[in-house]
Amino acid sequence: MADRNSPIGVFDSGVGGLTVVREIMRQMPEERLVYFGDTARVPYGTKSKDTIVRYTRQNIRFLMTQDVKAIVIACNTATAFALEIVEQELKIPVMGVIHAGAKTAVEATRNGKIGIIGTEGTIRSGVYTKMMEEMRDDIEVIGKSCPLFVPLVEEGLLHDSVTDEIASRYLSELKGKFIDTLVLGCTHYPLLRSTVGRVMGPEVTLVNPAYETALELKQVLSESQLLNDTDEPFQDKYHFYVSDLAEKFTNFASSILPDQIKQTKKINIEDF
Amino acid sequence: MADRNSPIGVFDSGVGGLTVVREIMRQMPEERLVYFGDTARVPYGTKSKDTIVRYTRQNIRFLMTQDVKAIVIACNTATAFALEIVEQELKIPVMGVIHAGAKTAVEATRNGKIGIIGTEGTIRSGVYTKMMEEMRDDIEVIGKSCPLFVPLVEEGLLHDSVTDEIASRYLSELKGKFIDTLVLGCTHYPLLRSTVGRVMGPEVTLVNPAYETALELKQVLSESQLLNDTDEPFQDKYHFYVSDLAEKFTNFASSILPDQIKQTKKINIEDF
């Protein structure tokens, strides 16, 4: 039985999962958190299922050494390829970033046409489409991979004419299909929210799975009686680990999280 | 003692090294070749020295299982971080892609101002600068990393207004310094040669290390009496291996190599 005062474990292929961490920090400020960013093996979005399942197992084995009470796979590709497999292998709650976003989109759509953007791996897996069609059978889901969005975010071009141009090209197909709801199906993409919103126009509802996932996590922890119940605030609530380039990660993380990150530790993920 | 009729081993983080393979095929059509593209762990350019040294050793151990007579590290980042280390560990010739390009640039410059573009890893290592300054002490070397060039190439945007715009931004600093010679210091970049040439203008000499490396390899093999001397052509001259997504690799490789590639085999590089 996991301890309710243990930290929540979160991992992603790199920095993208920090958008989920940001939402968890906002919605559950009393929770402790251990984050692992697999920066040595980023990106996941262009890799095969076998590889991603292997990486996911290693990442979870590392988080388990930190005595986490629940695990969030804050990466759409890893959720798409590995969640179903690893949830059978774990005794603590594990969740991905797809379910909550899919549910919100299905509830939000008025005309039944939902767009989903993500990496090649996520879109190729068809997991969003499958999940949303199971939730409601009168909807049409149109997927589109946007491979340049992650490098553009990591290059810091969040508000830039080049990003606007690339977004216009990627999204024109979805606009042509008159979707009224669009899922930002990669954890980097909330950082491009204003660009995507401008291209799609105000009539399209953008769904941010990072926000929805934090909400779902709070509910899961509550139902499992795993919400933190200590009165005193923890000294060192947040711990960050990466598989490479800790300093670069610290800088990026500090730019998108509410608090400055003190330190990121580097581990050799192949050891787990 | 290596057999002169054995294949040449070439590796890269992914598809970029195929520009070197293309030059080897053109300049030494009688040679056999084994290529390994580390597509599961691409890109190398944003990773640390420790990680790249470990990956390089694994890639070489795999190529040695194919009885190669010489090894070409067809990746600037791996050359920058690992060549000096692994050449002390090997009994066969091993070369990188930096020396030949650096030498050509130093010989080509008239005003002594040389630009070098590459990944973050290559530029951060300063290896081109160090090597060129050792060859000639009256030159000035200006490095500039271009992190979006690799994803743009892999997205197929070789001739595109977005690539032009990004190239203009990356290269404006080098233009402002009045360089007369520019080294394409990443094996993907020769595929952007026309874009880079247009931005820099006809007065700037572009150095393609892939071409120069194949020339240098021919000379090294000749001096070591390792040039192929069979009369009959081999049936299966070229073998391609990757660590992930073999089919995607085959398609990309077929688009840039002179011949169609029949098949690419997938291996688990972590086993080596």
Side-chain angles (χ1 to χ4, degrees):
Chain A
M1 183 64 197
D3 179 347
R4 59 192 308 158
N5 296 323
S6 292
I8 296 159
V10 182
F11 79 85
D12 175 46
S13 60
V15 296
L18 292 170
T19 59
V20 179
V21 165
R22 183 168 63 173
E23 296 299 336
I24 297 173
M25 288 175 173
R26 282 176 184 160
Q27 296 182 33
M28 288 173 273
E30 65 289 351
E31 291 292 337
R32 295 164 68 204
L33 204 142
V34 179
Y35 183 86
F36 172 65
D38 195 4
T39 49
R41 305 187 294 194
V42 70
Y44 282 9
T46 51
K47 288 168 187 139
S48 71
K49 177 171 177 165
D50 286 357
T51 299
I52 297 307
V53 170
R54 191 159 58 77
Y55 289 179
T56 298
R57 286 198 175 113
Q58 287 179 314
N59 300 346
I60 288 176
R61 278 198 289 270
F62 165 69
L63 287 175
M64 295 303 283
T65 67
Q66 304 300 300
D67 287 327
V68 295
K69 64 182 173 187
I71 285 175
V72 180
I73 304 181
C75 167
N76 282 272
T77 309
T79 302
F81 286 152
L83 175 61
E84 274 191 30
I85 296 169
V86 298
E87 63 188 356
Q88 293 166 13
E89 299 169 354
L90 286 170
K91 288 180 185 153
I92 58 171
V94 54
M95 50 187 292
V97 274
I98 292 178
H99 179 266
K103 186 158 169 279
T104 305
V106 162
E107 289 166 1
T109 185
R110 299 167 305 281
N111 72 2
K113 288 173 191 285
I114 299 172
I116 153 77
I117 54 176
T119 64
E120 285 179 86
T122 300
I123 299 304
R124 197 163 10 97
S125 76
V127 65
Y128 268 101
T129 306
K130 192 166 157 256
M131 195 175 278
M132 291 196 274
E133 285 175 354
E134 277 170 12
M135 289 172 180
R136 203 176 131 181
D137 59 10
D138 63 339
I139 54 165
E140 184 187 355
V141 183
I142 302 124
K144 173 71 186 166
S145 67
C146 307
L148 283 168
F149 275 1
V150 170
L152 286 166
V153 167
E154 301 212 333
E155 185 72 338
L157 302 184
L158 303 185
H159 308 281
D160 191 283
S161 62
V162 162
T163 308
D164 288 349
E165 167 65 21
I166 292 289
S168 292
R169 293 188 199 179
Y170 282 148
L171 302 174
S172 67
E173 187 186 327
L174 298 176
K175 283 194 76 151
K177 299 254 171 91
F178 303 104
I179 61 165
D180 71 355
T181 306
L182 178 61
V183 181
L184 305 175
C186 167
T187 46
H188 280 75
Y189 296 2
L191 301 171
L192 297 178
R193 193 188 174 108
S194 64
T195 302
V196 172
R198 203 163 46 242
V199 172
M200 294 308 296
E203 64 280 12
V204 175
T205 306
L206 299 189
V207 175
N208 177 358
Y211 175 82
E212 310 298 338
T213 298
L215 273 183
E216 189 177 84
L217 173 66
K218 192 168 183 177
Q219 196 185 338
V220 167
L221 291 181
S222 171
E223 286 167 4
S224 315
Q225 303 193 300
L226 282 173
L227 281 173
N228 179 314
D229 65 355
T230 47
D231 288 333
E232 290 179 33
F234 292 104
Q235 282 286 317
D236 253 345
K237 273 202 308 193
Y238 304 131
H239 289 269
F240 295 88
Y241 295 86
V242 291
S243 46
D244 206 1
L245 296 176
E247 195 181 343
K248 188 177 166 193
F249 177 91
T250 302
N251 294 338
F252 193 96
S254 295
S255 76
I256 70 166
L257 293 181
D259 293 319
Q260 190 77 16
I261 289 187
K262 277 187 222 136
Q263 197 200 355
T264 307
K265 287 188 196 131
K266 184 181 155 183
I267 59 158
N268 184 1
I269 190 65
E270 295 292 347
D271 291 345
F272 291 90
Chain B
M1 183 62 195
D3 179 347
R4 59 194 305 160
N5 297 322
S6 291
I8 297 160
V10 182
F11 80 85
D12 175 46
S13 60
V15 297
L18 292 170
T19 60
V20 179
V21 165
R22 180 167 68 172
E23 296 297 338
I24 296 173
M25 288 175 172
R26 281 176 183 158
Q27 296 181 34
M28 288 174 274
E30 65 289 351
E31 291 292 339
R32 295 163 69 204
L33 205 141
V34 179
Y35 182 86
F36 172 66
D38 195 3
T39 49
R41 304 188 293 196
V42 71
Y44 281 13
T46 49
K47 291 170 183 134
S48 71
K49 178 170 178 166
D50 286 355
T51 298
I52 297 306
V53 169
R54 190 160 58 79
Y55 288 179
T56 299
R57 285 196 175 115
Q58 286 179 313
N59 300 346
I60 288 175
R61 278 198 287 270
F62 165 69
L63 287 174
M64 296 303 282
T65 67
Q66 305 298 302
D67 287 328
V68 296
K69 65 183 173 186
I71 285 173
V72 180
I73 304 180
C75 167
N76 282 271
T77 309
T79 301
F81 285 152
L83 175 63
E84 274 191 28
I85 295 168
V86 296
E87 66 188 354
Q88 291 166 12
E89 300 168 354
L90 285 172
K91 287 179 183 156
I92 59 172
V94 54
M95 50 188 289
V97 275
I98 291 178
H99 179 266
K103 187 159 167 282
T104 305
V106 163
E107 288 165 3
T109 184
R110 300 166 304 282
N111 72 2
K113 287 174 194 287
I114 299 171
I116 154 78
I117 53 177
T119 63
E120 284 179 88
T122 299
I123 299 305
R124 197 164 10 99
S125 76
V127 63
Y128 268 102
T129 305
K130 191 166 159 255
M131 194 177 279
M132 291 196 274
E133 286 176 352
E134 276 170 12
M135 288 172 179
R136 205 177 127 181
D137 58 11
D138 63 339
I139 55 167
E140 184 186 355
V141 182
I142 302 123
K144 173 72 186 166
S145 67
C146 306
L148 283 167
F149 275 1
V150 169
L152 287 166
V153 166
E154 302 211 333
E155 185 72 341
L157 302 183
L158 304 183
H159 309 282
D160 192 284
S161 62
V162 163
T163 309
D164 289 350
E165 167 64 20
I166 292 289
S168 292
R169 294 188 200 178
Y170 282 149
L171 301 173
S172 67
E173 186 185 327
L174 299 176
K175 285 194 75 152
K177 297 258 172 89
F178 303 105
I179 60 163
D180 72 355
T181 305
L182 177 61
V183 181
L184 305 174
C186 167
T187 48
H188 280 76
Y189 295 2
L191 300 171
L192 297 178
R193 193 189 175 108
S194 63
T195 301
V196 172
R198 202 164 47 244
V199 172
M200 294 307 296
E203 64 280 11
V204 174
T205 305
L206 299 189
V207 175
N208 177 357
Y211 176 83
E212 310 298 339
T213 298
L215 272 182
E216 188 177 86
L217 173 65
K218 192 169 185 176
Q219 197 187 338
V220 166
L221 291 180
S222 171
E223 286 168 4
S224 316
Q225 302 193 301
L226 282 174
L227 281 172
N228 178 315
D229 66 354
T230 46
D231 289 333
E232 290 178 32
F234 292 102
Q235 283 285 318
D236 254 345
K237 274 203 308 196
Y238 304 132
H239 289 268
F240 295 88
Y241 295 87
V242 290
S243 45
D244 205 359
L245 295 177
E247 195 181 343
K248 188 178 167 193
F249 178 90
T250 302
N251 293 339
F252 193 98
S254 295
S255 76
I256 71 164
L257 293 180
D259 294 318
Q260 190 77 17
I261 288 186
K262 277 184 226 140
Q263 197 200 356
T264 308
K265 288 188 197 128
K266 183 182 157 184
I267 60 159
N268 184 0
I269 191 63
E270 296 291 349
D271 291 345
F272 293 89

